Amino acid sequence: MKIMPCPLNGPRNINEFTYGGELRHMPDPGTCSDAEWADYVFNCDNRAGVVTEWWLHNASSYWFLAERHTVSDEILRTFDPKELFDQRVDFTLPAKLPEEVSA
């Protein structure tokens, strides 16, 4: 049985977690092109070595970060996102949505 140390809940069975993807720099959604946003959402670097990844503890809905070696699958450390982020990104809708085009 593989154990992952959750920063909030302690050591837990790996089956309690869902992989959320590699940590990547997010482009500004208000100014980037559709191609840049699609690259950010759908693609990953998929490199061999140590990567920082998002993980979710399913039972508590707690998102955290893990450093994992992709070749050996060894989890080097897990930590709260507050170590890297000091503010929340707020995605807001435009004040007025464009009118729907009727055909």
Side-chain angles (χ1 to χ4, degrees):
M1 169 173 42
K2 185 170 183 175
I3 301 295
M4 176 177 270
C6 176
L8 181 66
N9 301 292
R12 310 299 296 175
N13 186 312
I14 195 72
N15 292 329
E16 294 186 21
F17 299 94
T18 300
Y19 172 74
E22 295 176 8
L23 175 67
R24 299 179 60 200
H25 172 73
M26 183 180 75
D28 182 348
T31 60
C32 71
S33 69
D34 288 345
E36 290 171 316
W37 188 253
D39 179 60
Y40 169 72
V41 172
F42 296 111
N43 297 319
C44 64
D45 295 334
N46 196 29
R47 63 180 189 264
V50 177
V51 296
T52 304
E53 305 167 324
W54 286 103
W55 284 85
L56 170 69
H57 181 246
N58 299 319
S60 63
S61 298
Y62 175 69
W63 282 98
F64 63 94
L65 294 164
E67 289 179 355
R68 183 177 67 89
H69 196 289
T70 59
V71 176
S72 66
D73 199 29
E74 177 186 2
I75 299 166
L76 305 172
R77 79 178 185 119
T78 58
F79 57 100
D80 190 287
K82 290 178 186 175
E83 289 188 28
L84 296 182
F85 301 100
D86 60 358
Q87 62 183 357
R88 182 178 173 89
V89 175
D90 186 25
F91 294 97
T92 57
L93 293 174
K96 183 176 180 182
L97 295 174
E99 299 288 329
E100 289 187 14
V101 178
S102 56

